[in-house]
Amino acid sequence: MELFYKKKTKSLFFIFASLIIGSIINSCSKKTEEPSPIVEITADVPVRWAAMTLKIAEKTPGNTPTYASRGFGYLGLTMYETVVNGYPEYASLAGQLSDLTTLPKPTIDLKYNYALSLNAGQAYMLRSIYDQTSGANKGSIDSLEKVILTEISKTEAADVVTRSVAYGQEVAKIIFEWSKTDLGYQGYKNNFTLDYKLPTGPGIWVAPTFSQSASQLPLHPFWGKNRTFLASNATLTMPKPIPYSTDPRSQYYAQFLEVYAKNKILTQEEKEIALWWGDDPSRTFTPPGHAYSLANVAVKAAKPNLMRAAQTYAAVGMSIADAFINCWKCKFVFVAERPSSFIRRNIDGAFVQFWPEPPFPAFYSGHSVQSGATATVLTALYGSDFKFIDTSHQGREKDPLTFIEFKNRSYNSFWEAAEEAAYSRFLGGIHTRSDNDVGLAEGRKIGQNVNALKWKK
């Protein structure tokens, strides 16, 4: 009997040991098949980098709406791709975007801190996109990167820190090399080119007399040839402007008469609206910067996790980048005049609009198309009744041209903000309603294409 119990005890021991070893082996095999678990990280790091991006866009001399929009696209995409592989339910956009076939992937059975990857990727990309910015601005980029690295490294293993930083830089480097082939690389070197011959004739744009630029040449006339992030946005049907006519009974004449009449009776609030959305590139983060700022406003208010925050900046960034390419393509096909030139020729020779004109043709409105695209993607992410306060110009000094103060504005939805942004160009006297309505409609199409990407598996 004693021998029996000894044998039984020994047998139970081997069975128990086998179960434990099997469990360990099974656990190890799973680790090689799935990414390591994510410790949830908040959106603090992407919010700080978006703010830095807006600062650099504003503080870099000679920045333009076109070049800035491109930068926001690549920075947003880089933010997304440096973290996406840490979230198994999300999909990389490599293979979905124009000519971007593949991107580096993390080693599956090793741990990464994706906030560190994002930090490294943003620093690399911001320095690369704005290689022309000042030494002080580059120092600000370096400083933010170091601060975030130090903060996170305090609670992370040294090998994880090194690996995560290297991964973020690797992803950013591949995206930056891809960006060099889009025809917009270092576009700041050729803002106003002599290679473009401006057409002449009835209804054709002429250089403004009350302008945001000293140049008599149009800004980036070939920007519409650039590669879009989404091939589907490049193939959208181009809208057409209202046919030219000087007949006072025509729709063409009526749209400019409306601009003229409104500019004579602007209220204080209407002037404040025009100023809030003016986004003069010589004094602010440019019009697409306002859209990227709204993404930051939304993320700070909604407090999403790291992945959803990164998706927000990627969706908005690529939307506004494609919006400006499509808009510029249309602008330099029709080269449509601004209200000021038609009004002075046909209605009132002494007319001066409220807001200085940007140096490029009118149809269709760049503010409107990027606002429509932004509203479309943000609504898809955060809902159609997302109430927020736009603090984009908070703390900015009184406008030196109009002596009007910048006051934060409240909205009940992203589309309410987009429609006001479009309307502001009518109030400024630099766009017709048609320019704005078409821009909003085109922006919606662009944003819908971005929403249709396979963001999740």
Side-chain angles (χ1 to χ4, degrees):
M1 180 67 70
E2 184 178 349
L3 181 61
F4 170 77
Y5 279 112
K6 285 182 178 179
K7 288 182 177 180
K8 185 176 181 181
T9 302
K10 189 178 290 187
S11 298
L12 287 172
F13 171 78
F14 282 118
I15 292 170
F16 183 65
S18 298
L19 288 171
I20 292 175
I21 294 169
S23 176
I24 293 171
I25 292 172
N26 186 49
S27 175
C28 290
S29 66
K30 285 183 178 179
K31 286 185 179 180
T32 62
E33 294 170 0
E34 300 174 0
S36 55
I38 293 297
V39 175
E40 193 47 72
I41 305 170
T42 66
D44 174 67
V45 174
V47 163
R48 290 156 78 180
W49 273 111
M52 177 59 68
T53 296
L54 291 166
K55 174 185 174 180
I56 300 303
E58 179 171 342
K59 300 298 183 182
T60 300
N63 201 12
T64 63
T66 37
Y67 190 75
S69 69
R70 175 183 181 273
F72 293 126
Y74 287 113
L75 283 154
L77 175 63
T78 302
M79 194 179 289
Y80 181 85
E81 292 294 342
T82 50
V83 303
V84 68
N85 284 297
Y87 294 78
E89 70 273 27
Y90 281 82
S92 170
L93 299 180
Q96 299 187 63
L97 303 179
S98 303
D99 302 330
L100 182 64
T101 55
T102 186
L103 285 170
K105 293 182 179 181
T107 304
I108 290 176
D109 56 348
L110 295 178
K111 182 184 175 184
Y112 290 79
N113 185 306
Y114 289 99
L116 283 176
S117 300
L118 185 152
N119 182 54
Q122 289 297 284
Y124 183 99
M125 185 60 74
L126 195 50
R127 282 191 291 261
S128 301
I129 293 290
Y130 284 103
D131 61 337
Q132 82 278 27
T133 200
S134 68
N137 286 343
K138 291 175 181 176
S140 294
I141 297 170
D142 295 344
S143 178
L144 179 59
E145 181 185 23
K146 184 177 180 179
V147 166
I148 294 174
L149 175 63
T150 301
E151 289 174 356
I152 299 176
S153 297
K154 290 178 181 178
T155 57
E156 195 60 87
D159 63 320
V160 174
V161 171
T162 301
R163 183 164 51 248
S164 302
V165 169
Y167 174 67
Q169 291 172 341
E170 186 182 7
V171 171
K173 182 177 181 180
I174 296 298
I175 292 176
F176 180 63
E177 290 303 312
W178 172 60
S179 79
K180 291 181 179 180
T181 62
D182 71 351
L183 301 184
Y185 174 58
Q186 294 186 329
Y188 60 83
K189 292 182 176 180
N190 207 16
N191 288 341
F192 302 99
T193 178
L194 294 172
D195 295 336
Y196 176 76
K197 182 172 176 57
L198 185 68
T200 58
I204 296 297
W205 179 81
V206 294
T209 54
F210 179 35
S211 176
Q212 296 176 11
S213 169
S215 176
Q216 294 294 293
L217 298 173
L219 172 69
H220 282 146
F222 303 117
W223 198 261
K225 298 181 182 295
N226 288 5
R227 181 186 64 210
T228 54
F229 280 85
L230 279 70
S232 55
N233 283 335
T235 58
L236 290 173
T237 301
M238 186 180 296
K240 295 180 180 180
I242 297 171
Y244 176 81
S245 176
T246 56
D247 185 339
R249 298 166 299 179
S250 69
Q251 187 180 3
Y252 191 85
Y253 191 103
Q255 66 177 347
F256 293 118
L257 182 61
E258 184 186 25
V259 173
Y260 172 71
K262 186 62 183 178
N263 254 238
K264 296 180 71 174
I265 58 169
L266 290 175
T267 65
Q268 180 63 22
E269 184 182 9
E270 288 171 336
K271 291 177 181 179
E272 290 173 0
I273 292 172
L275 173 66
W276 186 257
W277 294 100
D279 303 320
D280 187 337
S282 66
R283 299 199 294 270
T284 73
F285 40 45
T286 78
H290 203 146
Y292 209 68
S293 177
L294 289 185
N296 220 24
V297 168
V299 169
K300 286 191 284 187
K303 297 179 173 57
N305 64 12
L306 180 69
M307 185 66 248
R308 195 162 180 80
Q311 181 185 3
T312 302
Y313 296 110
V316 170
M318 292 190 298
S319 292
I320 56 182
D322 281 5
F324 271 84
I325 292 171
N326 280 17
C327 182
W328 252 245
K329 185 190 301 182
C330 190
K331 283 182 182 294
F332 287 93
V333 166
F334 298 106
V335 201
E337 66 183 332
R338 296 267 177 182
S340 61
S341 58
F342 182 88
I343 292 170
R344 283 197 291 269
R345 282 197 324 271
N346 298 281
I347 301 173
D348 181 350
F351 173 74
V352 177
Q353 75 280 359
F354 174 71
W355 193 250
E357 289 180 22
F360 40 80
F363 184 80
Y364 47 82
S365 163
H367 262 68
S368 302
V369 67
Q370 63 129 29
S371 296
T374 299
T376 300
V377 297
L378 288 179
T379 297
L381 287 165
Y382 298 105
S384 59
D385 57 352
F386 189 93
K387 296 177 175 61
F388 66 95
I389 298 174
D390 183 6
T391 57
S392 296
H393 294 303
Q394 184 169 294
R396 196 177 296 281
E397 294 181 358
K398 184 182 294 185
D399 179 59
L401 182 65
T402 63
F403 303 106
I404 295 174
E405 293 182 358
F406 289 91
K407 298 178 182 178
N408 292 347
R409 299 192 62 78
S410 301
Y411 303 98
N412 292 311
S413 69
F414 297 115
W415 267 103
E416 184 177 85
E419 289 166 354
E420 185 180 271
Y423 185 55
S424 75
R425 312 308 273 172
F426 171 74
L427 297 176
I430 60 178
H431 276 294
T432 64
R433 286 187 189 271
S434 175
D435 292 341
N436 299 330
D437 291 345
V438 171
L440 286 173
E442 293 302 303
R444 186 188 294 272
K445 296 173 189 176
I446 291 167
Q448 287 172 339
N449 283 339
V450 171
N451 289 342
L453 288 168
K454 185 181 177 182
W455 294 94
K456 291 189 175 183
K457 296 176 181 175

